[in-house]
């Protein structure tokens, strides 16, 4: 009877340890899948933000330009900045495709953080662009009203 109790206790401990190992493994898998999903989501959002920025800049420069076929002041630099951001994003997407499946959790977390930082750096510039576009629209309307 005494040995049966030991076997029961040992079996309970083995089951508990196995359950804990399974739970930890499941948690790691979920964290990894979450990081991979976050990588793709943040890359998609950054791409949308960069393309939106490019479109807004083109519209603003088209309104400001006296010769639409010639770039306005600062347009080339702005276009290069956005294109540079898109190229960096492409490099990040290639890393995601080629390296993310075998990357460590730390590397995945760092990549997610890098994309988040890039988006956070772009957000104030998009707000500034919105403000500038609103001011430009107001100035154009005022100029049109003065003309009539």
């Amino acid at each position: 009877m005494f040995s049966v109790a030991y076997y029961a206790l040992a079996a309970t401990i083995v089951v508990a340890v196995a359950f804990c190992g399974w739970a930890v493994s499941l948690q790691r898998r979920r964290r990894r899948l979450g990081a991979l999903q976050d990588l793709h989501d943040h890359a998609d959002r950054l791409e949308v933000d960069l393309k939106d920025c490019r479109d807004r800049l083109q519209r603003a420069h088209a309104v400001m330009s006296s010769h639409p076929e010639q770039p306005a002041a600062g347009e080339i630099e702005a276009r290069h900045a956005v294109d540079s951001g898109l190229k960096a994003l492409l490099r990040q997407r290639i890393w995601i495709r080629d390296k993310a499946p075998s990357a460590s959790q730390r590397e995945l977390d760092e990549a997610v953080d890098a994309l988040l930082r890039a988006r956070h750096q772009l957000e104030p510039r998009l707000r500034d662009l919105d403000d500038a576009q609103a001011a430009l629209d107001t100035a154009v309307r005022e100029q049109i009203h003065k003309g009539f």
Side-chain angles (χ1 to χ4, degrees):
M1 175 88 177
F2 191 66
S3 63
V4 173
Y6 279 129
Y7 287 127
L9 179 60
T12 303
I13 291 172
V14 167
V15 169
V17 168
F19 178 76
C20 289
W22 173 80
V24 167
S25 173
L26 181 63
Q27 190 263 348
R28 284 183 182 164
R29 253 188 317 231
R30 284 183 179 167
R31 184 170 178 223
R32 182 172 189 77
L33 289 174
L36 288 168
Q37 185 63 46
D38 286 348
L39 270 174
H40 289 285
D41 290 347
H42 291 306
D44 290 345
R45 288 184 194 134
L46 181 58
E47 182 177 5
V48 167
D49 288 347
L50 285 166
K51 287 180 177 180
D52 182 42
C53 183
R54 181 181 57 197
D55 293 343
R56 290 182 195 185
L57 285 168
Q58 287 173 344
R59 283 193 305 271
H61 287 298
V63 170
M64 293 186 313
S65 180
S66 57
H67 301 289
E69 66 279 354
Q70 294 177 354
E75 181 178 0
I76 293 172
E77 292 84 6
R79 190 178 301 156
H80 285 306
V82 172
D83 289 345
S84 175
L86 287 168
K87 286 176 186 175
L89 179 60
L90 178 60
R91 285 190 300 275
Q92 186 71 17
R93 284 192 183 276
I94 291 170
W95 183 88
I96 292 168
R97 182 195 70 201
D98 295 344
K99 304 290 183 183
S102 62
S104 69
Q105 186 63 49
R106 185 178 61 79
E107 290 171 318
L108 292 175
D109 292 341
E110 288 173 356
V112 170
D113 289 342
L115 287 171
L116 279 172
R117 279 192 309 274
R119 287 194 68 227
H120 288 302
Q121 290 173 352
L122 187 59
E123 284 174 359
R125 290 174 177 87
L126 288 172
R127 283 193 300 274
D128 291 345
L129 191 55
D130 283 340
D131 294 344
Q133 185 66 48
L136 183 60
D137 291 344
T138 300
V140 168
R141 271 186 257 125
E142 288 174 0
Q143 194 64 27
I144 290 172
H145 289 307
K146 286 181 184 178
F148 289 116

